[in-house]
Amino acid sequence: MERSPVRPSRPEADAAAPQRVLDALRRDIILGTLRPGTRVTEAALAATYGVSRIPVREALRSLEAEGFVESRPYAGSTVAKIPLDDAEDLFAVRRVIEATIARRAALRATAHFAGEAPSTEWWTARRALVGILDDGDRAVAADALADLPELNIRFHLGVAELSGSASLAALLRQISGRIEWLYAADVDNRGKQSWGEHRLIIAAIDAGNADEAERLMAGHVGSSQRGYMERFSADAPGPGGAGTTAADATGTDAAGRG
């Protein structure tokens, strides 16, 4: 896969360049175009994305804060690796947050349908999820698994919006980039199966079945966690053997495929 394009006409005068570079660089890390351990320099990235060093420098600082990049004095910056214990912690946090989100979304659906009509805001969020699910189904049918990481995080953030909880949605957004990174690393292993689970979750939410929505979401995240940890465990044979971090053992190409 080619690197994400960033083509401002006048980089130094383009106020949107820092955000575009940040988004493109994060995307290239998530999808494996820039692999864990890769050394990255301002000059090389500026040439790649067709911008000056200033937005690249800002992007690297932001990505370091997000955990995607590591910087050391006199050694420069490298793409980070996710140790297995960090990955396990991310899944554990996500499971709690998202199970609660699914429950809240189901309760909110019940409240909306009990009234005269659901709000316009709720229907807009619900219709957006239909489009995301349809796009994911098409990607699965076409074996275009590289499209699933972004669609997956959009789905989960969409459910958070349905929940109506600004606090829970904000918590999920804070870790969404790293969730997508983990998903992309294992998309060829569990992508198709996990995508199909989304419609079951939405069905429970639409039915207002809070207990079932919570259970399905917790199981959904838990299954992803178990599959990921088993695949990249230090005790497992193959590329995830002893001494290898999860993010470094993906064996994926630039498009996130094995």
Side-chain angles (χ1 to χ4, degrees):
M1 173 183 286
E2 295 181 357
R3 285 193 169 94
S4 306
V6 180
R7 300 188 183 94
S9 56
R10 296 180 59 194
E12 288 77 6
D14 188 348
Q19 186 61 49
R20 287 211 304 273
V21 172
L22 174 60
D23 292 342
L25 184 50
R26 186 191 294 112
R27 175 68 39 199
D28 285 340
I29 292 173
I30 287 172
L31 294 184
T33 304
L34 292 170
R35 296 174 64 82
T38 301
R39 186 170 182 268
V40 289
T41 66
E42 291 179 10
L45 292 174
T48 296
Y49 299 127
V51 296
S52 69
R53 291 192 182 194
I54 296 174
V56 170
R57 187 175 305 132
E58 294 179 17
L60 287 173
R61 288 172 181 167
S62 296
L63 291 174
E64 183 176 6
E66 293 177 20
F68 287 99
V69 170
E70 296 176 345
S71 297
R72 294 187 178 89
Y74 311 110
S77 300
T78 58
V79 177
K81 303 176 182 180
I82 303 181
L84 280 170
D85 55 353
D86 283 359
E88 190 167 22
D89 290 342
L90 279 168
F91 276 115
V93 170
R94 180 188 166 199
R95 184 172 183 173
V96 172
I97 293 173
E98 295 213 56
T100 305
I101 282 173
R103 182 176 189 84
R104 288 284 299 272
L107 292 172
R108 190 176 182 218
T110 297
H112 275 297
F113 286 119
E116 293 184 1
S119 70
T120 302
E121 177 188 1
W122 189 91
W123 272 119
T124 298
R126 184 61 184 84
R127 281 195 295 267
L129 281 171
V130 172
I132 293 168
L133 287 170
D134 288 346
D135 287 345
D137 288 347
R138 283 190 288 269
V140 168
D143 205 31
L145 300 187
D147 294 341
L148 291 183
E150 181 179 0
L151 290 168
N152 179 71
I153 199 61
R154 285 174 57 198
F155 170 82
H156 286 277
L157 290 173
V159 174
E161 187 174 353
L162 274 188
S163 77
S165 173
S167 297
L168 290 172
L171 286 171
L172 185 59
R173 280 194 297 271
Q174 287 177 16
I175 60 174
S176 62
R178 290 169 72 82
I179 290 173
E180 188 178 357
W181 199 9
L182 293 175
Y183 186 94
D186 200 33
V187 70
D188 59 319
N189 184 49
R190 232 187 75 82
K192 291 184 177 181
Q193 177 184 344
S194 66
W195 188 262
E197 296 167 2
H198 290 161
R199 289 197 181 272
L200 297 176
I201 294 168
I202 284 296
I205 290 172
D206 286 345
N209 191 334
D211 290 342
E212 182 70 357
E214 182 178 22
R215 183 188 70 80
L216 287 172
M217 183 65 85
H220 174 67
V221 177
S223 293
S224 293
Q225 179 180 2
R226 287 190 296 274
Y228 187 95
M229 300 307 292
E230 287 172 3
R231 183 178 185 191
F232 298 120
S233 171
D235 296 328
T244 307
T245 62
D248 198 32
T250 62
T252 57
D253 63 17
R257 293 183 293 266

